[in-house]
Amino acid sequence: MTLPLWNCSASELHARVLAGACSVEQIVAATLERIAQREPDIHAWSWLDAEGALAAARKQDHDGARGSLSGVIVGLKDIIDTADMPTAYGAALYRDHRPARDAALVTRLRRAGAIILGKTVTTEFAYAAPGPTRNPHDTAHTPGGSSSGSAAAVAAGMAGLAISSQTGGSTIRPAAFCGVVGFKPTHGLIDSSGMKALAPSSDTVGLHARSVADIALAFDVLADGAAPSSVGTPIRIAWFPGPHAAAASSAAVAALGQVRHVLEQYGMLFAMPDIAPADVAALGECNSLIMAVEGAHSLEPEYRLHRERLATPTQRLIETGRAVPAERYREALEFVERHRIIFDAAMTNGGFDALLSFSAPGVAPPAADGTGNSLFNRPWSMLGTPCLSLPCGFSAGLPLAVQLVARRGADLALLTLGSEIERWLAQDQSITG
């Protein structure tokens, strides 16, 4: 049975275009039909440039130009600047804002042949105030945040790839809630120039897609200086439910344990890493503190000139950050830097290829309860490590996921390993069934 074009992965569509099996225009048209069906309920898009996408596709087909992302339809989180579309940063204050130039990553995507379809919904300034987006699996539930629209658009077949961001848990958690693959690279590996800053110490460009192969296809275009690396033989995984494991739901705990069981069946070795849970918990607290301080600095002009137009969570973040003593902020940065070295050493000395933990506390909560808790994401965001969220089944009709974490710079090895694990999980009936 042939899948409709909107239901194919980005890498599959790219291969079809290169083989002449379909045109880029056909892919865009099929995607727009899908958007017409799902968008009224999901609200993943803050701006949709249907005519611009069709025109770009027709030109590419007419010219015969084919790049490394031809056939890939992209949604951009609306904190990423585009010269030909509004960029509102999820804020009413910037509703009509039109940047002067594209963000660096947008330039790369366009040059590689990707079609930029529009801007996906974000929480205000990529923090906490939710937008209108709903979970494609159940619209009574949140898609997560802050990259709400990015994950939801991919999950609903309205984009093959979505560019997101993560400062706390804004890529991994929405991926888990929406049942797609989410990847947060090593901090700084993808140029974030032209992306609205919240907390530069941990702001990282993220990616959402339907498969690890799709992520790798885009990462190859976007990343600079990714070090060649390989996984070990046998593969060793650090088993680390973490200091907040008690906060995970019974379904999430069962899923994590089942994933371990499957991987052990394929010969992977598990061991406890030399990582202090209390230190990991402290890293999460540092993430919250540093985000507040740096967020207050990044958003100072908006707060000073238009405080009354900011959402309440944004105001509270800024006010909290302004009240933090400089010495406490400095100590937090020093603690993080020490533990970046400690974590990398623990992974290297233990011979671990990755660490396995929770992506989120459980399934997506009701939309009325907010965008979910990022406690399983904040420590890794602060360490700047690459993180990969993989779907691993459902509970009560909503997706579950697990998270793989590697040492800084081991992005390519993590994607290679993630692709293998993705394939093994797909073959296991206890997870897929």
Side-chain angles (χ1 to χ4, degrees):
M1 179 178 177
T2 303
L3 293 173
L5 292 177
W6 64 262
N7 201 26
C8 295
S9 71
S11 50
E12 290 170 340
L13 292 175
H14 175 62
R16 287 198 194 187
V17 168
L18 293 186
C22 70
S23 68
V24 179
E25 183 181 358
Q26 287 174 318
I27 297 171
V28 173
T31 304
L32 291 172
E33 289 179 8
R34 180 64 174 175
I35 289 172
Q37 296 169 354
R38 298 302 314 271
E39 177 62 8
D41 294 326
I42 296 172
H43 308 291
W45 299 92
S46 60
W47 181 267
L48 194 65
D49 186 17
E51 289 305 314
L54 284 168
R58 290 173 186 141
K59 184 177 189 307
Q60 196 176 130
D61 290 334
H62 179 268
D63 294 345
R66 295 294 182 247
S68 52
L69 291 179
S70 290
V72 178
I73 312 303
V74 180
L76 298 172
K77 185 174 181 177
D78 195 26
I79 60 168
I80 298 168
D81 286 348
T82 44
D84 58 348
M85 305 177 201
T87 305
Y89 313 125
L93 178 61
Y94 284 97
R95 182 167 293 136
D96 299 318
H97 175 58
R98 185 74 65 124
R101 62 183 63 85
D102 286 344
L105 68 89
V106 176
T107 299
R108 290 196 175 205
L109 290 169
R110 293 191 200 274
R111 287 176 179 170
I115 300 296
I116 308 299
L117 189 53
K119 311 303 281 289
T120 55
V121 172
T122 175
T123 60
E124 186 179 70
F125 298 117
Y127 183 53
T133 309
R134 293 295 181 263
N135 195 303
H137 296 274
D138 185 337
T139 56
H141 290 256
T142 181
S146 63
S147 306
S148 312
S150 295
V154 171
M158 297 191 289
L161 172 73
I163 307 302
S164 52
S165 73
Q166 179 157 310
T167 304
S170 297
T171 293
I172 298 300
R173 189 171 78 261
F177 287 169
C178 291
V180 299
V181 179
F183 182 56
K184 184 202 80 69
T186 295
H187 180 255
L189 204 52
I190 296 178
D191 189 349
S192 62
S193 302
M195 186 174 82
K196 180 70 170 175
L198 178 61
S201 291
S202 53
D203 287 347
T204 307
V205 175
L207 300 94
H208 286 115
R210 302 185 70 169
S211 72
V212 178
D214 297 350
I215 299 288
L217 189 71
F219 183 69
D220 186 58
V221 169
L222 295 173
D224 278 324
S229 51
S230 59
V231 295
T233 306
I235 295 168
R236 283 176 57 83
I237 303 294
W239 175 251
F240 193 77
H244 303 296
S249 70
S250 59
V253 171
L256 187 69
Q258 182 59 25
V259 168
R260 173 174 176 166
H261 174 72
V262 171
L263 300 188
E264 287 177 328
Q265 297 300 110
Y266 282 95
M268 291 193 181
L269 303 179
F270 281 78
M272 296 293 292
D274 185 18
I275 299 170
D279 288 347
V280 173
L283 284 165
E285 295 169 2
C286 286
N287 179 256
S288 297
L289 183 146
I290 292 169
M291 187 188 304
V293 174
E294 295 185 356
H297 177 76
S298 298
L299 301 175
E300 190 277 333
E302 288 85 356
Y303 183 83
R304 175 168 44 86
L305 298 173
H306 305 285
R307 174 184 173 184
E308 72 286 350
R309 298 183 64 184
L310 301 179
T312 299
T314 306
Q315 292 184 38
R316 288 175 179 164
L317 175 76
I318 295 168
E319 289 160 2
T320 297
R322 286 158 64 102
V324 173
E327 180 65 14
R328 189 176 174 203
Y329 170 63
R330 184 186 64 77
E331 289 173 351
L333 289 176
E334 291 175 350
F335 181 87
V336 168
E337 189 54 39
R338 286 197 307 273
H339 283 80
R340 285 174 177 166
I341 297 169
I342 290 170
F343 177 80
D344 289 350
M347 294 296 285
T348 300
N349 296 339
F352 293 116
D353 296 289
L355 175 150
L356 181 66
S357 190
F358 298 98
S359 288
V363 299
D369 294 343
T371 60
N373 196 322
S374 60
L375 79 170
F376 290 110
N377 316 121
R378 292 194 296 264
W380 317 123
S381 292
M382 205 67 263
L383 289 178
T385 59
C387 305
L388 182 68
S389 183
L390 296 175
C392 64
F394 292 82
S395 176
L398 289 166
L400 292 163
V402 294
Q403 179 175 204
L404 292 165
V405 181
R407 59 178 175 77
R408 291 175 297 167
D411 300 68
L412 293 177
L414 181 59
L415 290 175
T416 298
L417 175 59
S419 183
E420 285 291 289
I421 293 176
E422 177 184 58
R423 179 168 59 86
W424 294 334
L425 295 182
Q427 294 172 357
D428 190 86
Q429 290 298 312
S430 66
I431 290 176
T432 59

